[in-house]
Amino acid sequence: MVTDLTSCYTSPAGKEFTLLAGRYAGISPASRVLDIGCGYGAGICNLAAEFRCRCTAVDTSEPNLTIARSRAEELRISHLIDFSQADINDIAPPEDPYDLVLAEGGLLSLLGRQAGLDISSGFLKHRGWLAFSDLVLLTEERKVPAEVLHIYDNKYYHYETEASYRQLLKNAGFEPHIITLVPPSGWDNYYAHMARRLEDSEGFFADRRVKELFHREIDVFYRLEGFRYIGYLFGLVRYEKSV
Ligand SMILES: C[S@@+](CC[C@H](N)C(=O)[O-])C[C@H]1O[C@@H](n2cnc3c(N)ncnc32)[C@H](O)[C@@H]1O
């Protein structure tokens, strides 16, 4: 069921998870937060509006950043967020590291999970927090219908399971505090947003091939009950490796 009609996340976890991360991590106006791959700015705007923290948001896509910047202006929080167009791989870790890094919407898979975790820890204070959300397989690969594996490009991303993700986090020096699967409403909010975007006549979703791809993804997810085989994992983990 759709529970957030205004969501502009391009991933299934959404506002409640971002705010949970902020609350649990004790984010305050004195805290510094980095959003890797901010997309339309949903996550970082929710954090800045709720906690008045100092934020940096990075994305490779200028069209996405344009939408994110105007969202921040509408919410009157643009003074709290420094948006910049960059590939996170090209940014050197700052002298003053962050209290919380957001990597929502499969950023860790997009960066390569091991590399993504190393990049995230490089930006964090010792005992800083990482909030991530990412696609995982809920069962053995051989039990997942080929069409479902294909639509999420498993051949390229080789998705983890929750257990293997936990192992990766541990090896990279992160201690799990919250690890949970996103409920069905998270997927419904995400696909409701994607369905709205398919009406776009400008930007990323205006492209006919993008529209076809998302039509197919939504169809496969609901027709083949993709939620039986794939899940979206949300994690709030703390970087514990000593420096
Ligand atoms: C699936 S979207 C997630 C957006 C947002 N975090 C959310 O959950 O709604 C992934 C975003 O990451 C950006 N991105 C992908 N690779 C990146 C990189 N190497 N550095 C910075 N941004 C990146 C894309 O442009 C896109 O906006």
Short mmCIF file of all heavy atoms in Angstrom, two decimals, residues 132-154:
data_model
loop_
_atom_site.label_atom_id
_atom_site.label_comp_id
_atom_site.label_asym_id
_atom_site.label_seq_id
_atom_site.Cartn_x
_atom_site.Cartn_y
_atom_site.Cartn_z
N PHE A 132 22.61 3.04 4.87
CA PHE A 132 22.55 2.61 3.47
C PHE A 132 21.25 1.85 3.23
O PHE A 132 20.63 1.32 4.16
CB PHE A 132 23.76 1.72 3.11
CG PHE A 132 23.71 0.36 3.73
CD1 PHE A 132 23.13 -0.72 3.06
CD2 PHE A 132 24.21 0.14 5.01
CE1 PHE A 132 23.07 -1.98 3.64
CE2 PHE A 132 24.15 -1.13 5.60
CZ PHE A 132 23.58 -2.19 4.92
N SER A 133 20.87 1.81 1.96
CA SER A 133 19.78 0.90 1.57
C SER A 133 20.19 0.30 0.23
O SER A 133 20.79 0.98 -0.61
CB SER A 133 18.44 1.63 1.50
OG SER A 133 18.48 2.67 0.56
N ASP A 134 19.88 -0.98 0.07
CA ASP A 134 20.38 -1.68 -1.12
C ASP A 134 19.55 -2.94 -1.38
O ASP A 134 18.96 -3.52 -0.46
CB ASP A 134 21.84 -2.07 -0.88
CG ASP A 134 22.64 -2.21 -2.17
OD1 ASP A 134 22.04 -2.21 -3.26
OD2 ASP A 134 23.88 -2.31 -2.08
N LEU A 135 19.55 -3.34 -2.62
CA LEU A 135 18.81 -4.54 -3.02
C LEU A 135 19.57 -5.80 -2.59
O LEU A 135 20.79 -5.84 -2.69
CB LEU A 135 18.63 -4.50 -4.53
CG LEU A 135 17.52 -5.34 -5.13
CD1 LEU A 135 16.85 -4.57 -6.25
CD2 LEU A 135 18.06 -6.63 -5.67
N VAL A 136 18.83 -6.78 -2.08
CA VAL A 136 19.44 -8.08 -1.72
C VAL A 136 18.53 -9.20 -2.23
O VAL A 136 17.34 -9.00 -2.45
CB VAL A 136 19.60 -8.24 -0.18
CG1 VAL A 136 20.69 -7.35 0.36
CG2 VAL A 136 18.28 -8.04 0.56
N LEU A 137 19.12 -10.38 -2.38
CA LEU A 137 18.32 -11.56 -2.73
C LEU A 137 17.82 -12.18 -1.44
O LEU A 137 18.56 -12.28 -0.45
CB LEU A 137 19.16 -12.57 -3.51
CG LEU A 137 19.71 -12.11 -4.86
CD1 LEU A 137 20.45 -13.26 -5.55
CD2 LEU A 137 18.61 -11.59 -5.77
N LEU A 138 16.55 -12.60 -1.45
CA LEU A 138 15.95 -13.19 -0.24
C LEU A 138 16.10 -14.70 -0.22
O LEU A 138 15.77 -15.34 0.77
CB LEU A 138 14.46 -12.84 -0.16
CG LEU A 138 14.14 -11.35 -0.03
CD1 LEU A 138 12.63 -11.13 -0.03
CD2 LEU A 138 14.76 -10.77 1.24
N THR A 139 16.54 -15.26 -1.34
CA THR A 139 16.67 -16.69 -1.43
C THR A 139 17.84 -17.02 -2.36
O THR A 139 18.46 -16.11 -2.91
CB THR A 139 15.35 -17.31 -1.95
OG1 THR A 139 15.48 -18.72 -1.99
CG2 THR A 139 14.97 -16.82 -3.34
N GLU A 140 18.12 -18.32 -2.51
CA GLU A 140 19.22 -18.69 -3.39
C GLU A 140 18.93 -18.24 -4.82
O GLU A 140 17.78 -18.31 -5.26
CB GLU A 140 19.39 -20.21 -3.40
CG GLU A 140 19.88 -20.78 -2.12
CD GLU A 140 19.67 -22.29 -2.09
OE1 GLU A 140 20.21 -22.98 -2.97
OE2 GLU A 140 18.92 -22.74 -1.22
N GLU A 141 19.98 -17.84 -5.50
CA GLU A 141 19.83 -17.30 -6.85
C GLU A 141 19.07 -18.26 -7.77
O GLU A 141 18.21 -17.84 -8.55
CB GLU A 141 21.23 -17.02 -7.41
CG GLU A 141 21.24 -16.04 -8.54
CD GLU A 141 22.65 -15.70 -8.98
OE1 GLU A 141 23.45 -15.27 -8.13
OE2 GLU A 141 22.94 -15.87 -10.17
N ARG A 142 19.34 -19.57 -7.64
CA ARG A 142 18.71 -20.53 -8.56
C ARG A 142 17.20 -20.61 -8.37
O ARG A 142 16.49 -21.11 -9.22
CB ARG A 142 19.36 -21.92 -8.40
CG ARG A 142 19.16 -22.53 -7.05
CD ARG A 142 19.90 -23.84 -6.87
NE ARG A 142 19.74 -24.31 -5.51
CZ ARG A 142 18.70 -25.01 -5.08
NH1 ARG A 142 17.74 -25.35 -5.90
NH2 ARG A 142 18.61 -25.38 -3.80
N LYS A 143 16.71 -20.11 -7.22
CA LYS A 143 15.26 -20.17 -6.97
C LYS A 143 14.53 -18.92 -7.44
O LYS A 143 13.31 -18.82 -7.35
CB LYS A 143 15.01 -20.36 -5.47
CG LYS A 143 15.50 -21.70 -4.94
CD LYS A 143 15.12 -21.84 -3.48
CE LYS A 143 15.64 -23.16 -2.94
NZ LYS A 143 15.61 -23.20 -1.48
N VAL A 144 15.29 -17.94 -7.91
CA VAL A 144 14.68 -16.66 -8.33
C VAL A 144 14.36 -16.73 -9.83
O VAL A 144 15.23 -17.11 -10.62
CB VAL A 144 15.64 -15.47 -8.07
CG1 VAL A 144 14.98 -14.15 -8.41
CG2 VAL A 144 16.13 -15.48 -6.63
N PRO A 145 13.10 -16.40 -10.24
CA PRO A 145 12.79 -16.44 -11.67
C PRO A 145 13.77 -15.59 -12.48
O PRO A 145 14.16 -14.50 -12.05
CB PRO A 145 11.37 -15.83 -11.74
CG PRO A 145 10.81 -16.02 -10.37
CD PRO A 145 11.96 -15.97 -9.42
N ALA A 146 14.17 -16.12 -13.64
CA ALA A 146 15.18 -15.45 -14.46
C ALA A 146 14.77 -14.01 -14.80
O ALA A 146 15.61 -13.10 -14.80
CB ALA A 146 15.42 -16.24 -15.74
N GLU A 147 13.47 -13.80 -15.04
CA GLU A 147 13.00 -12.47 -15.42
C GLU A 147 13.22 -11.46 -14.29
O GLU A 147 13.53 -10.29 -14.52
CB GLU A 147 11.51 -12.54 -15.79
CG GLU A 147 11.12 -11.59 -16.89
CD GLU A 147 9.65 -11.69 -17.26
OE1 GLU A 147 9.06 -12.77 -17.09
OE2 GLU A 147 9.10 -10.68 -17.70
N VAL A 148 13.06 -11.94 -13.07
CA VAL A 148 13.26 -11.05 -11.91
C VAL A 148 14.75 -10.71 -11.78
O VAL A 148 15.13 -9.55 -11.63
CB VAL A 148 12.72 -11.70 -10.61
CG1 VAL A 148 13.07 -10.85 -9.40
CG2 VAL A 148 11.22 -11.91 -10.71
N LEU A 149 15.59 -11.74 -11.89
CA LEU A 149 17.05 -11.50 -11.81
C LEU A 149 17.48 -10.52 -12.90
O LEU A 149 18.27 -9.61 -12.67
CB LEU A 149 17.81 -12.81 -11.99
CG LEU A 149 17.83 -13.78 -10.82
CD1 LEU A 149 18.56 -15.05 -11.21
CD2 LEU A 149 18.49 -13.15 -9.59
N HIS A 150 16.91 -10.72 -14.07
CA HIS A 150 17.30 -9.92 -15.24
C HIS A 150 16.91 -8.44 -15.07
O HIS A 150 17.71 -7.55 -15.34
CB HIS A 150 16.65 -10.51 -16.49
CG HIS A 150 16.99 -9.75 -17.72
ND1 HIS A 150 18.28 -9.71 -18.23
CD2 HIS A 150 16.23 -8.98 -18.53
CE1 HIS A 150 18.28 -8.95 -19.30
NE2 HIS A 150 17.05 -8.49 -19.51
N ILE A 151 15.69 -8.21 -14.59
CA ILE A 151 15.20 -6.82 -14.53
C ILE A 151 16.02 -5.98 -13.54
O ILE A 151 16.15 -4.77 -13.69
CB ILE A 151 13.68 -6.78 -14.21
CG1 ILE A 151 13.07 -5.46 -14.69
CG2 ILE A 151 13.36 -6.97 -12.74
CD1 ILE A 151 12.91 -5.38 -16.16
N TYR A 152 16.60 -6.65 -12.53
CA TYR A 152 17.45 -5.91 -11.59
C TYR A 152 18.93 -6.06 -11.92
O TYR A 152 19.79 -5.73 -11.11
CB TYR A 152 17.14 -6.34 -10.14
CG TYR A 152 15.74 -5.92 -9.75
CD1 TYR A 152 14.70 -6.84 -9.79
CD2 TYR A 152 15.45 -4.60 -9.44
CE1 TYR A 152 13.40 -6.46 -9.48
CE2 TYR A 152 14.15 -4.21 -9.14
CZ TYR A 152 13.13 -5.14 -9.16
OH TYR A 152 11.85 -4.74 -8.88
N ASP A 153 19.22 -6.60 -13.11
CA ASP A 153 20.59 -6.65 -13.61
C ASP A 153 21.53 -7.42 -12.69
O ASP A 153 22.66 -6.99 -12.43
CB ASP A 153 21.09 -5.20 -13.79
CG ASP A 153 21.92 -5.06 -15.05
OD1 ASP A 153 22.18 -6.09 -15.69
OD2 ASP A 153 22.34 -3.93 -15.37
N ASN A 154 21.03 -8.56 -12.20
CA ASN A 154 21.83 -9.34 -11.24
C ASN A 154 23.14 -9.84 -11.85
O ASN A 154 24.13 -10.01 -11.15
CB ASN A 154 21.01 -10.51 -10.70
CG ASN A 154 21.77 -11.32 -9.68
OD1 ASN A 154 22.09 -10.80 -8.60
ND2 ASN A 154 22.11 -12.55 -10.01
#
